[in-house]
């Protein structure tokens, strides 16, 4: 008992001198506090706290300690550098991607990230006069989330493995959550209701105007803290949590929803599958308390900088053989939705998707695209290959690319890109279809571009 009393660090205590320690002192302090982070991670933490003139508490260092593995594993802000291409065509497309990326830089040129590579084509398309309109295509790992964030059930849906692609009308702009609102973590699935929980929640409590903030996956809240859209205060005692590790792993498979306090109380009293996590702050801060004691008081910008620092890495080429799923097409009386998933650098799945879309009557003048890059547990290795094909496909054919995202899917063995296309239904005439098939057979992008935009 005496050993515990004197040996266990008190979370609310300040770690004096942390911003002046050398590397040896930093490692000794981490070991004394029972932290796993060491070396460069500690030096990065020291710099961040020093830059913000903030002396960290024990709890803040414990929070960074439990966040670090999640941010390295799920982070997608890695700088892409030192690529070596054996294929000259791949090297040419990569140089084109870099040129577009560098043209967007206003200051010193920095290497692109995976997230930036997903949206490079939009810049080139805007200069070519085909600036993408707001898209009607939404991708996420659950159709229930799509229904929740879009405000209604989707008209059409495709199942492409871990990614559900749903087409629905545009949602009205989201209201900005106000300070003081309670934040509830609402479960996205229950055994007896399946994945319909979120849609039911928003339907039942529509009069309370719940505001969705963000979705939290199986990895828990820790991996999402740098991406909080608002400042948040969490009371560990109120949320039923014991320490920083419990905070990092909480809220698995939930959607964080903001509501005014009296409505949140009514929802909890009604037996909704939700947990009160905390409340929204006036400032963009993460604050963690345990009853009356303040443990963490960090700006969200510091957590974002922490993630960026930990996720800098090199993306290597993909060794695994490229694979592709079959193209899926669904059509309604006035809409066509298609999708395909593939690994490696290959144009054939994307061209097959385009061909089937046009044959089903898609009018590519009004087409919108989404791209979702899913990364396996080993993360960044091989992520560039599918992006090269996607960039060439969209840039050569002047296709809009406004909607992109990156997800983690631990069931995958290689980075997989899922591409969805939504377009109004207006069948092509026979002649353009013949021209389309010939252009595909010849590998002629100019002729293919002319064929898919043949109808006015």
């Amino acid at each position: 008992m005496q050993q515990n009393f004197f040996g266990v660090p008190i979370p609310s205590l300040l770690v004096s001198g942390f911003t002046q320690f050398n590397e040896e002192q930093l490692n000794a302090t981490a070991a004394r506090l029972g932290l796993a982070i060491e070396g460069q991670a500690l030096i990065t933490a020291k710099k961040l706290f020093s830059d913000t003139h903030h002396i960290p508490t024990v709890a803040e260092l414990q929070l960074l300690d439990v966040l670090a593995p999640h941010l390295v594993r799920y982070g997608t802000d890695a700088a892409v550098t030192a690529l070596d291409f054996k294929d000259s065509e791949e090297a040419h497309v990569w140089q084109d991607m870099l040129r577009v990326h560098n043209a967007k830089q206003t200051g010193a040129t920095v290497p692109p990230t995976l997230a930036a590579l997903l949206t490079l084509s939009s810049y080139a398309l805007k200069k070519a006069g085909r600036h993408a309109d707001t898209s009607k295509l939404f991708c996420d790992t659950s159709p229930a989330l799509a229904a929740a964030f879009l405000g209604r059930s989707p008209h059409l849906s495709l199942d492409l493995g871990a990614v559900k692609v749903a087409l629905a009308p545009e949602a009205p702009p989201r209201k900005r959550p106000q300070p003081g609102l309670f934040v509830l973590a609402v479960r996205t699935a229950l055994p007896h209701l399946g994945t319909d929980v979120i849609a039911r929640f928003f339907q039942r409590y529509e009069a309370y105007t719940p505001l969705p903030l963000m979705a939290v996956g199986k990895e828990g809240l820790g991996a999402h803290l740098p991406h909080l859209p608002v400042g948040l205060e969490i009371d560990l005692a109120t949320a039923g949590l014991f320490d920083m590790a419990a905070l990092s792993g909480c809220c698995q498979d939930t959607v964080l929803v903001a509501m005014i306090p009296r409505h949140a109380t009514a929802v909890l009293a009604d037996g909704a599958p939700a947990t009160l996590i905390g409340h929204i702050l006036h400032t963009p801060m993460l604050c963690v308390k345990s009853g009356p004691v303040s443990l963490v008081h960090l700006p969200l910008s510091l957590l974002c900088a922490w993630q960026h620092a930990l996720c800098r890495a090199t993306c290597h080429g993909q060794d695994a053989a490229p694979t592709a799923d079959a193209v899926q097409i669904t059509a309604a009386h006035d809409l066509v939705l298609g999708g395909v998933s593939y690994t490696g650098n290959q144009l054939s799945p994307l061209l097959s998707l385009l061909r089937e879309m046009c044959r089903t009557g898609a009018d590519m003048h009004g087409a919108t695209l989404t791209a979702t890059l899913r990364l396996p547990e080993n993360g960044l290795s091989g992520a560039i290959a599918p992006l090269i094909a996607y960039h060439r496909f969209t840039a050569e054919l002047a296709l809009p690319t406004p909607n992109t995202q990156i997800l983690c899917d631990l069931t995958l063995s290689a980075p997989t890109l899922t591409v969805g296309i939504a377009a109004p239904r207006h069948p092509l005439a026979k002649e353009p279809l013949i021209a389309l098939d010939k252009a595909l057979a010849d590998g002629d992008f100019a002729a293919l571009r002319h064929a898919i935009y043949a109808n006015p």
Side-chain angles (χ1 to χ4, degrees), residues 350-432:
L350 296 170
L351 295 176
S352 296
L353 171 61
L354 178 68
R355 180 178 184 275
E356 295 307 314
M357 287 286 294
C358 291
R359 286 193 166 277
T360 310
D363 181 358
M364 299 307 293
H365 291 87
T368 54
L369 274 74
T370 188
T372 301
L373 180 65
R374 290 178 288 150
L375 299 175
E377 187 170 5
N378 61 356
L380 303 173
S381 179
I384 296 302
L387 293 178
I388 288 177
Y390 178 65
H391 174 76
R392 184 180 179 192
F393 175 73
T394 53
E396 291 272 20
L397 298 179
L399 293 169
T401 58
N403 289 328
T404 59
Q405 66 175 333
I406 302 179
L407 304 173
C408 183
D409 183 354
L410 301 185
T411 65
L412 296 175
S413 60
T416 302
L417 193 66
T418 297
V419 177
I421 302 178
R425 195 171 189 185
H426 183 201
L428 281 172
K430 183 177 180 181
E431 291 77 11

Side-chain angles (χ1 to χ4, degrees), residues 22 31 56 97 136 153 218 240-241 246 261 292-293 330 395 405 415 435:
N22 58 33
M97 295 171 80
K136 299 181 177 64
S153 296
K218 294 184 182 299
L241 304 171
V293 180
T330 304
Q405 66 175 333

Side-chain angles (χ1 to χ4, degrees), residues 6-9 15 18 21-39 42 58 61-62 65:
F6 289 102
V8 176
V15 184
F18 185 85
F21 288 164
N22 58 33
E23 185 172 357
E24 184 179 346
Q25 291 170 318
L26 289 172
N27 286 323
T29 301
R32 180 167 54 83
L33 296 176
L35 306 181
I37 54 174
E38 58 184 0
L42 278 172
V58 171
L61 293 178
Q62 289 173 336
D65 189 45

Side-chain angles (χ1 to χ4, degrees), residues 67-328:
L67 289 188
H70 289 299
L71 299 184
V72 170
R73 188 177 190 181
Y74 297 98
T76 54
D77 292 310
V80 182
T81 58
L83 290 175
D84 182 20
F85 295 103
K86 297 177 182 177
D87 188 307
S88 59
E89 186 175 346
E90 285 189 1
H92 175 75
V93 177
W94 171 248
Q95 291 301 322
D96 178 57
M97 295 171 80
L98 283 183
R99 178 184 55 77
V100 175
H101 169 76
N102 293 336
K104 297 172 67 175
Q105 305 299 306
T106 54
T109 301
V110 295
T113 64
L114 286 180
L117 292 180
L118 275 170
T119 56
L120 281 182
S121 296
S122 293
Y123 178 83
L125 300 177
K126 182 178 180 180
K127 292 192 72 173
R130 277 191 55 83
H131 182 48
D133 296 328
T134 55
S135 173
K136 299 181 177 64
L137 200 61
F138 183 90
C139 254
D140 214 308
T141 52
S142 166
L145 288 183
F149 284 94
L150 290 167
R152 64 195 72 189
S153 296
H155 288 162
L156 302 170
S157 181
L158 295 177
D159 187 341
L160 291 158
V163 174
K164 311 285 184 178
V165 183
L167 180 67
E170 283 186 36
R174 273 208 255 161
K175 297 179 182 177
R176 183 163 181 79
Q178 297 301 310
L181 294 181
F182 278 10
V183 177
L184 302 178
V186 183
R187 293 174 63 182
T188 57
L190 290 174
H192 59 289
L193 292 177
T195 58
D196 198 29
V197 180
I198 290 296
R200 284 172 179 252
F201 182 91
F202 279 84
Q203 271 186 342
R204 182 172 180 82
Y205 304 115
E206 183 178 4
Y208 293 165
T209 60
L211 297 174
L213 299 177
M214 66 188 302
V216 178
K218 294 184 182 299
E219 63 274 18
L221 183 61
H224 297 270
L225 287 177
H227 308 294
L228 283 172
V230 291
L232 180 64
E233 179 175 291
I234 299 172
D235 189 333
L236 296 180
T238 302
L241 304 171
F242 298 103
D243 53 22
M244 293 299 108
L247 171 64
S248 178
C250 74
C251 303
Q252 291 180 326
D253 295 319
T254 63
V255 171
L256 301 189
V257 176
M259 304 178 78
I260 64 175
R262 70 174 184 275
H263 290 163
T265 302
V267 166
L268 294 173
D270 191 39
T275 303
L276 177 61
I277 293 300
H279 67 269
I280 293 176
L281 298 173
H282 289 78
T283 54
M285 304 286 293
L286 171 67
C287 298
V288 181
K289 300 171 62 178
S290 181
V293 180
S294 179
L295 304 178
V296 174
H297 194 73
L298 294 175
L300 295 180
S301 59
L302 186 145
L303 291 178
C304 288
W306 172 253
Q307 182 189 42
H308 282 228
L310 290 187
C311 293
R312 292 192 188 104
T314 298
C315 302
H316 304 287
Q318 178 63 50
D319 297 328
T323 60
D325 295 339
V327 171
Q328 296 192 36

